[in-house]
Amino acid sequence: MIAAHGADLTLGDSTLTISYSPLLTALSETGKQRVVIELSAVTGFEFTRPTALTCGDIAFSGAGDTVITFSPGQGEQAAALAADLERILNGEAPAPEAPTVEASTRGNSVAGFDVVGFDVETANDDWGSICQIGLVRYRDGRETDSASWLCAPPAPLGGFLDANIAIHGISGKQVENEPSFADRLPEMVDFVGDLPLIAHNAQFDFTALKRACAASGIDTPHMLFGCSLILSRVEKLQVANHKLPTVAAALGITLDNHHDATEDARASAEIAISLALQHHFTGSFIDFIHSCGLTLGSTDGTRVFPVLRDRSGAGVAAQRRALGLDTGAAPATRDTGHSGDAQDAGSKPAEQAKTSGGGRGPAPWAKVATPDTVPDPNPDADPQGILFGQNVTLTGDFEPYEKGNLWQRIADQGATVGKNVTKKTTILVAGPWDSITSKQKRAEELIEKGQKLEIWDEKQLFTALGLEEQPPF
């Protein structure tokens, strides 16, 4: 099998089969996921080899005048296919297939599991000061290509801190003659193509991408992504913490050079692959994320929408419809009975609310009911974050988000979530309601008594969490 841009190619003695990715299939005019070219109908072809910076292609004459596009860095695969096509059209046998690159998942594969691992390193404490980009592409759960690029951070965010240099070893001198972040971004976009991505603590990496784009005066590219940190928490792995090296070690994944962007990108992807293998999962990366009760995060222009737990399943179903995958929830191909109870409350359907009368639907308070389980604050969160160390309580309505999802996002930022307003509460977030709630009344009383407590509206919370409006499923 040969990897092309958004497609896998299988060359036989008389046919060339093109299997397009689900996203590229959805975007195509024909809507066909699989195309078979009869080589007997091919009268010739033109080959343009891709470079490290530009795409290449093979354009056929005859057989529907099909064009196969290759991403930058896929020169060897493209040249090998062109050589084999030349041999077959001349009546010769193709060259023996070269062995594929084996990932540290010990040669096991997950059919259809196509994803790109992603990581960035930064020059200083501004997340947008990207100085290294790492990418690793996987097809069927096996590594096929990787890229590691140094870059000069966006000028407004430049300047290297000693603390950051000590972490990743990259200095200002090392990147002074490298292309800028803005010049590297098209290479990243070409490498990724239409595949989804995964990163560990993905909200950091994609927020960094957004900030770097904003500082460079360019739009953030549209991308879909998952998060190996959230996956490891959903799995309830028995680990001391959910840092990348800890989770990788627990799953037997090699990570010898932590804080090298490509090594971290590879480990992030292999965490997802390892978990998929443990559950005997079959299907795409997107299917796997959905089967874990999560919606994919996305970048859209200048915004980043996070990976979210979807307790009701409605978000997953809506996202699948928007991606043209199907009209329901994710396929039930994840063996949740393997290796213990891997799913938590975040991956189970929410209990249906009781009705308050014949046919009148859920009671108005059902959608704002307090969830049963309070998530623990993330000790590894950014200490400079606006919610880090805060004690946060919610009251009122927060549509389109469920309180359970918001609680998890707040805890991920390093805050302690409280069910009630107490003397420890530092922030009460009051969503819309038809009257002042008892929690808000209690907060106002404590403020009058001198307690340092802020009352936010839902928009302030959404902004703090990067949820400025409903995700564009």
Side-chain angles (χ1 to χ4, degrees), residues 112-147:
F113 204 96
D114 301 342
V115 69
V116 175
F118 173 54
D119 184 74
V120 299
E121 298 297 328
T122 57
N124 53 61
D125 53 8
D126 191 299
W127 290 8
S129 60
I130 294 175
C131 60
Q132 187 189 23
I133 300 170
L135 299 163
V136 184
R137 186 189 297 118
Y138 288 80
R139 295 284 189 181
D140 294 325
R142 297 191 181 203
E143 181 180 335
T144 61
D145 204 358
S146 64

Side-chain angles (χ1 to χ4, degrees), residues 234 262 338 396 404:
V234 167
T262 304
H338 186 264

Side-chain angles (χ1 to χ4, degrees), residues 363-398:
W365 57 83
K367 62 184 176 181
V368 297
T370 301
D372 294 329
T373 304
V374 178
D376 294 327
N378 174 21
D380 304 321
D382 178 15
Q384 303 300 318
I386 191 172
L387 293 177
F388 187 86
Q390 301 285 352
N391 286 266
V392 182
T393 297
L394 306 184
T395 185
D397 185 8
F398 294 91

Side-chain angles (χ1 to χ4, degrees), residues 2-5 8 50-52 70-78 99-103 115-118 134-149 187-188 190-193 195 262-263 265-266 269-270:
I2 302 168
H5 178 71
D8 288 324
T51 69
F70 291 88
S71 299
Q74 291 187 319
E76 291 185 9
Q77 299 99 306
T100 59
V101 179
E102 296 289 334
V115 69
V116 175
F118 173 54
L135 299 163
V136 184
R137 186 189 297 118
Y138 288 80
R139 295 284 189 181
D140 294 325
R142 297 191 181 203
E143 181 180 335
T144 61
D145 204 358
S146 64
S148 179
W149 300 310
E187 297 180 69
M188 174 183 171
D190 286 341
F191 184 98
V192 172
L195 294 180
T262 304
E263 290 296 309
R266 179 176 288 111
E270 292 191 6

Side-chain angles (χ1 to χ4, degrees), residues 103-400:
S104 68
T105 46
R106 294 177 292 279
N108 293 312
S109 63
V110 182
F113 204 96
D114 301 342
V115 69
V116 175
F118 173 54
D119 184 74
V120 299
E121 298 297 328
T122 57
N124 53 61
D125 53 8
D126 191 299
W127 290 8
S129 60
I130 294 175
C131 60
Q132 187 189 23
I133 300 170
L135 299 163
V136 184
R137 186 189 297 118
Y138 288 80
R139 295 284 189 181
D140 294 325
R142 297 191 181 203
E143 181 180 335
T144 61
D145 204 358
S146 64
S148 179
W149 300 310
L150 294 176
C151 61
L157 309 178
F160 280 73
L161 292 181
D162 290 341
N164 291 62
I165 296 172
I167 291 172
H168 50 56
I170 302 169
S171 66
K173 187 171 183 61
Q174 287 177 263
V175 303
E176 62 183 6
N177 294 321
E178 295 290 340
S180 67
F181 164 80
D183 290 335
R184 286 294 193 200
L185 186 63
E187 297 180 69
M188 174 183 171
V189 172
D190 286 341
F191 184 98
V192 172
D194 53 13
L195 294 180
L197 300 95
I198 187 169
H200 202 76
N201 192 12
Q203 191 68 11
F204 166 80
D205 294 277
F206 287 93
T207 300
L209 187 70
K210 179 201 74 172
R211 287 188 60 81
C213 287
S216 302
I218 55 180
D219 288 338
T220 308
H222 176 66
M223 292 178 171
L224 296 173
F225 62 87
C227 179
S228 56
L229 172 63
I230 294 178
L231 280 176
S232 70
R233 286 177 174 160
V234 167
E235 289 295 312
K236 295 186 177 179
L237 298 177
Q238 299 302 306
V239 290
N241 57 58
H242 292 276
K243 294 180 179 180
L244 182 60
T246 305
V247 177
L251 296 175
I253 295 167
T254 301
L255 179 58
D256 293 332
N257 192 14
H258 182 35
H259 291 303
D260 172 82
T262 304
E263 290 296 309
D264 287 358
R266 179 176 288 111
S268 299
E270 292 191 6
I271 286 171
I273 295 166
S274 177
L275 294 174
L277 288 168
Q278 286 185 20
H279 289 290
H280 305 294
F281 177 83
T282 57
S284 71
F285 171 76
I286 294 176
D287 286 344
F288 182 65
I289 293 296
H290 287 164
S291 76
C292 293
L294 302 170
T295 56
L296 292 159
S298 67
T299 57
D300 180 23
T302 60
R303 299 163 296 177
V304 178
F305 298 100
V307 175
L308 292 173
R309 297 193 186 192
D310 179 29
R311 298 181 189 278
S312 68
V316 167
Q319 191 169 74
R320 293 183 71 78
R321 285 194 297 270
L323 294 174
L325 298 178
D326 56 35
T327 57
T333 54
R334 183 171 179 263
D335 179 5
T336 57
H338 186 264
S339 68
D341 180 14
Q343 287 183 303
D344 66 1
S347 58
K348 297 176 182 177
E351 183 178 333
Q352 291 184 348
K354 296 180 180 179
T355 60
S356 57
R360 288 185 292 173
W365 57 83
K367 62 184 176 181
V368 297
T370 301
D372 294 329
T373 304
V374 178
D376 294 327
N378 174 21
D380 304 321
D382 178 15
Q384 303 300 318
I386 191 172
L387 293 177
F388 187 86
Q390 301 285 352
N391 286 266
V392 182
T393 297
L394 306 184
T395 185
D397 185 8
F398 294 91
E399 286 190 341

